[in-house]
Amino acid sequence: MKLRSLVLPLFALTASSWEVRRGDEHPFIHVPLADVDDYTSGKVHMMIMEAMTAYVDEIRADVVHATGIFDPTLGIEPVTKYTPCIDGYAAGPGPNNTYGCRNLDLYSFTPHGDLGSKVKVGNDIWGWAHTSSDGVTREFGLVGQMDGTAFVEVLPTGQIAYLGRLPTQTETSIWRDIKVIGHHAYIGSEAPGHGIQVFDLTKLLDASLLEDPKEFSIETDLTSLYDGLPAGSSHNVVAHEEKNLLVAVGSVPRLSACAAGLIFIDVSDPENPVTAGCAAEDGYVHDAQCLTYYGPDEKYNGTDVCYSFNEDTFTIYDISDLSSPTVISATFYHGVSYSHQGWVFDEKNQSYLLLNDEYDEVFTRGWATDQKTTTYMWDIMDLSRPVLTGYYKSPAVAIDHNLYIQDGLVYESNYRSGLRVVDASSIADDPTGAGFFEAAFFDVHPEDDAIGGEAQFGGAWSTYPYFKSGYILTNTLERGLFVVKLNKTE
């Protein structure tokens, strides 16, 4: 029985469903955006996908109407040299190329068209670093686009070198997601029949690519193609690197045996990815973080868990037995509209987690009534009863999308307000979020600055903040790839 079937009409809760379905979130009030059946059926998710599709169609139509061709960066020049943030702005060459900022300097900006894309719309971003036998480290960006994945090297100066691209496996899609395990990239997409491309990143070490970028072949340059998804599509892919485990999520149809939940793929042999099981118990999973658990809940220390974001809940799975995973808890929360993505604050002491809800700002719900980006704090010291302890509110109006955490700093890709870096180091002392503050920002979508921002799609899709060099990659829908770096934090 799916957990969602335990929820009564209008979300009245029996004593048993209270224990199974949610943790202790008192005194917060749970009022859902939509009926539970609308989440289970995919109606709410389809509403979001249709809104994003309409936005992309709109920018394409507007540009074509104005110019006769589609190029959202038409007239916006690349930034190819260090451009510091001075008096609140980083000014690139030419018009529409000045960005609001604080404590983040711009090192380069490259339009999607210059990264080999013909469709010129971007999405996800991930990174990979390689250290040679003589100790030299090179850093690479894997740039998601509607029509494939572009590969770049981030040079020591912060500029990039375009090395080539891997086309989409079937058709174009707004949604493409990339993760890395070892020296292989795993690339999934919402495109029907796409599967998961497995690409050996050591191919990027070829020095000739710096002078002659290559379009890699989907037929001869892949290490393998995983084709075990129900319809070949996935909304996201998740990497549990310690275990050589890839997890596909959002792999429709929802009525398949895996219910578009967690699909486990053993990639210990990248040439032969093998399905290892799935978790269907709580239905559709939109995104997740899967880790070996280290933390205060002694019952689970050393086991494997997935923190999952399941549209109307924050759900935690025990995946120690991939053939028989179980739900530890599935929790509603105040203001829930679309539980989208999140990340643990410290992977070695998993006491707290931060969560993004993608639609609370759009529908002015819960703490997001003013449409300023709202991030949710969770105490996860007891995995069976997560506690919603508070929230952080950005000073800017925008929708949140993806966040990642490094050394106490939260790197949030908040669509039209761009990259927002939040100092969350006070969470252990005060998990309400009252001590959080914005340490830096870089606004990649200046078009709405004059009206104070908009809770609409566009701008920053995702950010990769894990390079030892300190360079941060932010990929955007309309423009392209930004490389920035913190100059200080307050």
Side-chain angles (χ1 to χ4, degrees):
M1 178 184 292
K2 291 177 66 180
L3 290 179
R4 296 184 196 283
S5 65
L6 296 174
V7 183
L8 301 178
L10 300 179
F11 291 84
L13 293 168
T14 66
S16 61
S17 65
W18 179 282
E19 293 297 323
V20 173
R21 183 66 177 136
R22 62 185 278 173
D24 180 9
E25 61 176 329
H26 180 78
F28 308 124
I29 300 170
H30 169 244
V31 180
L33 170 68
D35 186 85
V36 64
D37 291 339
D38 290 336
Y39 285 102
T40 304
S41 67
K43 183 176 179 179
V44 176
H45 185 218
M46 186 58 63
M47 177 174 61
I48 294 175
M49 295 183 75
E50 288 175 350
M52 177 64 80
T53 300
Y55 169 72
V56 172
D57 289 345
E58 180 182 352
I59 61 170
R60 292 172 66 86
D62 287 349
V63 172
V64 170
H65 177 74
T67 67
I69 60 171
F70 175 68
D71 185 351
T73 56
L74 193 68
I76 303 177
E77 299 181 39
V79 176
T80 58
K81 64 180 181 180
Y82 170 62
T83 305
C85 179
I86 299 174
D87 296 330
Y89 293 95
N96 206 24
N97 211 10
T98 296
Y99 307 96
C101 56
R102 183 161 63 87
N103 296 338
L104 279 164
D105 293 330
L106 175 62
Y107 283 76
S108 64
F109 158 68
T110 310
H112 284 301
D114 291 357
L115 298 176
S117 174
K118 293 181 173 62
V119 181
K120 302 174 184 176
V121 173
N123 40 57
D124 192 42
I125 183 80
W126 207 249
W128 176 65
H130 176 268
T131 300
S132 65
S133 58
D134 56 359
V136 176
T137 297
R138 297 171 66 184
E139 296 174 335
F140 300 87
L142 320 177
V143 186
Q145 298 167 328
M146 276 188 69
D147 50 351
T149 304
F151 302 115
V152 302
E153 180 169 359
V154 183
L155 303 175
T157 57
Q159 284 73 59
I160 65 148
Y162 171 57
L163 304 178
R165 60 184 291 101
L166 180 68
T168 183
Q169 195 68 25
T170 53
E171 59 191 67
T172 64
S173 172
I174 295 171
W175 294 272
R176 186 172 311 280
D177 197 72
I178 310 156
K179 293 297 185 297
V180 172
I181 297 177
H183 59 82
H184 285 87
Y186 296 86
I187 306 167
S189 174
E190 285 274 11
H194 185 279
I196 297 175
Q197 297 170 315
V198 183
F199 181 81
D200 186 347
L201 294 169
T202 61
K203 291 178 179 286
L204 304 182
L205 302 177
D206 183 347
S208 70
L209 298 178
L210 292 167
E211 299 296 331
D212 186 19
K214 176 180 179 179
E215 175 148 329
F216 293 96
S217 169
I218 61 174
E219 296 175 348
T220 60
D221 281 314
L222 292 179
T223 299
S224 61
L225 178 68
Y226 175 75
D227 62 358
L229 302 177
S233 64
S234 59
H235 186 78
N236 218 319
V237 291
V238 178
H240 186 351
E241 296 179 62
E242 287 185 68
K243 296 299 174 72
N244 287 316
L245 179 68
L246 191 74
V247 185
V249 300
S251 295
V252 294
R254 292 171 182 247
L255 297 178
S256 69
C258 294
L262 305 168
I263 298 178
F264 307 116
I265 307 163
D266 181 347
V267 294
S268 52
D269 178 5
E271 295 184 5
N272 185 34
V274 177
T275 306
C278 68
E281 188 177 1
D282 197 36
Y284 180 95
V285 177
H286 192 78
D287 205 341
Q289 183 183 17
C290 299
L291 299 165
T292 300
Y293 178 76
Y294 305 103
D297 195 338
E298 295 182 359
K299 180 180 178 181
Y300 294 100
N301 257 314
T303 66
D304 296 307
V305 300
C306 286
Y307 302 101
S308 299
F309 310 96
N310 290 18
E311 302 188 300
D312 63 338
T313 59
F314 165 41
T315 300
I316 304 175
Y317 298 82
D318 180 347
I319 64 164
S320 299
D321 181 355
L322 296 179
S323 65
S324 184
T326 59
V327 171
I328 301 172
S329 60
T331 312
F332 295 130
Y333 55 90
H334 178 61
V336 61
S337 300
Y338 198 84
S339 176
H340 176 266
Q341 187 263 353
W343 213 250
V344 296
F345 183 75
D346 183 348
E347 294 184 9
K348 297 303 180 184
N349 179 18
Q350 294 165 42
S351 297
Y352 299 98
L353 178 143
L354 275 65
L355 178 150
N356 281 333
D357 187 299
E358 192 172 10
Y359 248 34
D360 54 347
E361 296 91 4
V362 175
F363 288 103
T364 62
R365 292 174 41 77
W367 291 307
T369 54
D370 57 3
Q371 296 193 306
K372 292 183 177 179
T373 312
T374 302
T375 306
Y376 296 81
M377 269 101 257
W378 291 89
D379 176 330
I380 53 172
M381 295 185 194
D382 180 349
L383 296 183
S384 67
R385 296 181 68 84
V387 178
L388 178 61
T389 59
Y391 65 96
Y392 165 77
K393 187 180 292 292
S394 170
V397 170
I399 306 171
D400 43 7
H401 196 221
N402 293 318
L403 67 81
Y404 297 102
I405 301 173
Q406 174 82 326
D407 297 331
L409 295 177
V410 186
Y411 295 83
E412 299 194 352
S413 302
N414 289 351
Y415 278 128
R416 293 194 177 193
S417 73
L419 169 61
R420 300 276 161 168
V421 182
V422 179
D423 189 320
S425 57
S426 64
I427 193 167
D429 296 326
D430 182 2
T432 68
F436 289 21
F437 62 92
E438 186 173 86
F441 77 88
F442 195 91
D443 184 349
V444 299
H445 188 88
E447 286 82 359
D448 62 359
D449 291 359
I451 59 173
E454 288 184 293
Q456 300 287 340
F457 294 123
W461 184 284
S462 199
T463 292
Y464 184 80
Y466 297 114
F467 286 139
K468 289 185 178 179
S469 64
Y471 291 122
I472 303 162
L473 307 183
T474 295
N475 196 23
T476 69
L477 278 98
E478 314 92 336
R479 277 178 160 78
L481 176 67
F482 290 82
V483 180
V484 298
K485 191 175 186 178
L486 287 163
N487 55 43
K488 65 177 180 178
T489 56
E490 297 174 355

